[in-house]
Amino acid sequence: MSKAPFILAIESSCDDTAAAVLQGNRVLSNCIANQEIHKQYGGIVPELASRKHQSNIVPVIHQALRQANIDKKQIGAIAYTQGPGLLGSLLVGGSFAKSLTMAWQIPLLEIDHMQGHLLVHFIKEVHQSPPKFPFIGVTVSGGHTQLIWVEDYFKMTVLGTTLDDAIGEAFDKCGKHLGLLYPAGPEIDRLAKKGNPSRFKFPKPKVPNLNVSYSGIKTAFMNFINKETNKNREFIKENLADLCASLQKTLIEIIIEKIVLSVNLKKNYRVVIGGGVAANSGLQNILIERQKKGDWEVFIPPLAYTTDNAAMIGIAGYFKFLSHEFGDLSSCPNARLKF
Ligand code: KG4
Ligand code: ZN
């Protein structure tokens, strides 16, 4: 029998309460309780998110243990998301993880959520052969947009980041302006497939180096929509697919231009993406096209591992376990955790 430890992973950085059980690099269960409550507010309400985590966390952990078909006595360590994220949400998962490690007398593993989004590629069933180090990591989510030079599991250096909003935030806020429910990213993606991406032009920011900015396009998009709906109240309804396709094209071009720059700078052609926006079909198509042309070697996670999940925290925990990087009970969640 394999000696790899069973790791229980807990993720509660934002609005999803998630728990997973891994044995070594294999995922035995990966459970998520989504918080539908935020839809009616058009975005995440932090106070409501932490309350929902409180009520979801016990059932989700039970479910993860049940699906993995193991007894809690077999768990060898607990990995939890230390940050970045919403403090109230992080505190729920963090306090729960710490209490369990005390009760079960097992080690605690503190995980950076953004590192988890990239390390998901090392889960056994994700790729036949995982990416080799070093590579260009691209994290695109609701809270982050980063280009990262990844030399080892935890040797990561940020090459560029957003100066304001994250790409997912731009998808969601522009989508809200179109009347779409939160999170609007997946719906824009779906509608964009039926639209003309060249129909409307939105300005792209001129940001030096490898940084990006998404607040300018968000404002330009909203001003454009307001102007057009003042002229024609049916403007959104009549042009929804084209608006989504044109917006998505611009949002993606901004990050693709910076991926090209980082690849050239580092002379490294291995591009590994992670985070909720990695599920976007437009972004994936461009990356796959590059791969087909032989320009880049591209790694895209399967859908279940793009948006927030606990398996990504578990795999990061496994590598920390192997290198004996254990947390202690005085560790604290950090909303602005940086690596
Ligand atoms: O990684 P994630 O689940 O949470 C954060 O860590 O932020 O990412 C959530 C973000 C949301 O902004 C959501 O709209 C976006 O990922 N998203 C998408 C798609 N699926 C999720 N954006 C564009 N296209 C998608 N298919
Ligand atoms: Zn995330």
Side-chain angles (χ1 to χ4, degrees):
M1 206 177 116
S2 163
K3 289 224 177 74
F6 288 103
I7 293 180
L8 171 66
I10 299 172
E11 151 63 32
S12 71
S13 64
C14 196
D15 61 333
D16 296 314
T17 321
V21 175
L22 280 78
Q23 183 176 29
N25 62 354
R26 284 175 49 234
V27 176
L28 305 184
S29 63
N30 190 29
C31 304
I32 300 186
N34 299 113
Q35 301 184 358
E36 295 297 317
I37 191 156
H38 305 285
K39 278 203 161 85
Q40 60 189 285
Y41 296 96
I44 295 165
V45 185
E47 171 94 16
L48 292 179
S50 13
R51 281 170 198 238
K52 275 280 166 197
H53 283 307
Q54 284 283 5
S55 49
N56 288 342
I57 196 155
V58 172
V60 170
I61 289 176
H62 272 147
Q63 192 190 4
L65 289 170
R66 219 173 27 245
Q67 279 186 17
N69 202 20
I70 62 158
D71 188 83
K72 56 182 190 281
K73 292 195 192 87
Q74 292 172 268
I75 298 288
I78 296 183
Y80 83 99
T81 306
Q82 192 178 22
L86 302 169
L87 189 61
S89 292
L90 291 166
L91 280 165
V92 178
S95 306
F96 205 88
K98 279 205 251 177
S99 313
L100 281 182
T101 59
M102 272 178 79
W104 297 350
Q105 294 287 301
I106 53 175
L108 180 70
L109 303 156
E110 299 157 348
I111 307 303
D112 183 301
H113 179 89
M114 299 317 293
Q115 292 191 329
H117 270 307
L118 290 178
L119 294 177
V120 88
H121 291 273
F122 295 88
I123 289 174
K124 192 169 173 35
E125 50 275 18
V126 167
H127 300 295
Q128 269 185 342
S129 13
K132 291 197 172 62
F133 297 114
F135 58 77
I136 308 283
V138 184
T139 52
V140 277
S141 73
H144 289 82
T145 310
Q146 290 180 322
L147 290 153
I148 301 165
W149 179 235
V150 184
E151 294 174 90
D152 207 338
Y153 297 117
F154 300 107
K155 195 171 176 206
M156 301 192 186
T157 316
V158 177
L159 301 172
T161 185
T162 179
L163 301 177
D164 37 59
D165 293 348
I167 182 169
E169 207 176 337
F171 267 102
D172 295 339
K173 288 190 175 153
C174 293
K176 185 178 175 187
H177 220 65
L178 293 175
L180 304 177
L181 288 179
Y182 175 85
E187 187 62 358
I188 292 178
D189 189 359
R190 194 183 66 78
L191 291 163
K193 289 182 186 137
K194 299 185 247 171
N196 173 4
S198 310
R199 171 86 188 284
F200 302 108
K201 297 264 176 287
F202 302 111
K204 281 191 277 177
K206 291 189 176 53
V207 181
N209 309 324
L210 295 171
N211 293 328
V212 292
S213 161
Y214 278 101
S215 76
I217 174 165
K218 181 191 68 188
T219 312
F221 183 79
M222 290 178 180
N223 289 342
F224 172 73
I225 297 291
N226 290 344
K227 196 175 96 209
E228 294 302 319
T229 38
N230 278 340
K231 288 191 263 170
N232 168 14
R233 290 184 60 176
E234 300 299 311
F235 177 74
I236 294 178
K237 206 166 134 203
E238 288 166 9
N239 299 285
L240 189 57
D242 289 347
L243 283 166
C244 288
S246 305
L247 171 70
Q248 176 169 299
K249 176 174 182 272
T250 318
L251 295 177
I252 289 169
E253 275 175 3
I254 294 171
I255 189 69
I256 288 286
E257 280 167 19
K258 297 295 175 151
I259 300 176
V260 173
L261 281 180
S262 22
V263 161
N264 293 340
L265 175 82
K266 288 293 187 183
K267 307 249 176 308
N268 181 295
Y269 304 91
R270 211 168 286 130
V271 176
V272 177
I273 60 165
V277 183
N280 185 270
S281 59
L283 176 59
Q284 291 192 359
N285 289 342
I286 293 180
L287 294 172
I288 291 166
E289 203 51 44
R290 289 271 179 172
Q291 168 138 302
K292 279 194 192 143
K293 279 202 224 150
D295 295 353
W296 299 346
E297 190 188 358
V298 168
F299 292 83
I300 299 169
L303 186 65
Y305 295 139
T306 53
T307 43
D308 291 349
N309 63 88
M312 70 187 209
I313 303 305
I315 187 71
Y318 173 57
F319 294 124
K320 287 221 162 167
F321 187 96
L322 289 182
S323 56
H324 296 274
E325 277 183 70
F326 300 117
D328 63 64
L329 292 177
S330 61
S331 81
C332 211
N334 181 350
R336 299 186 175 275
L337 190 67
K338 286 196 171 80
F339 47 82

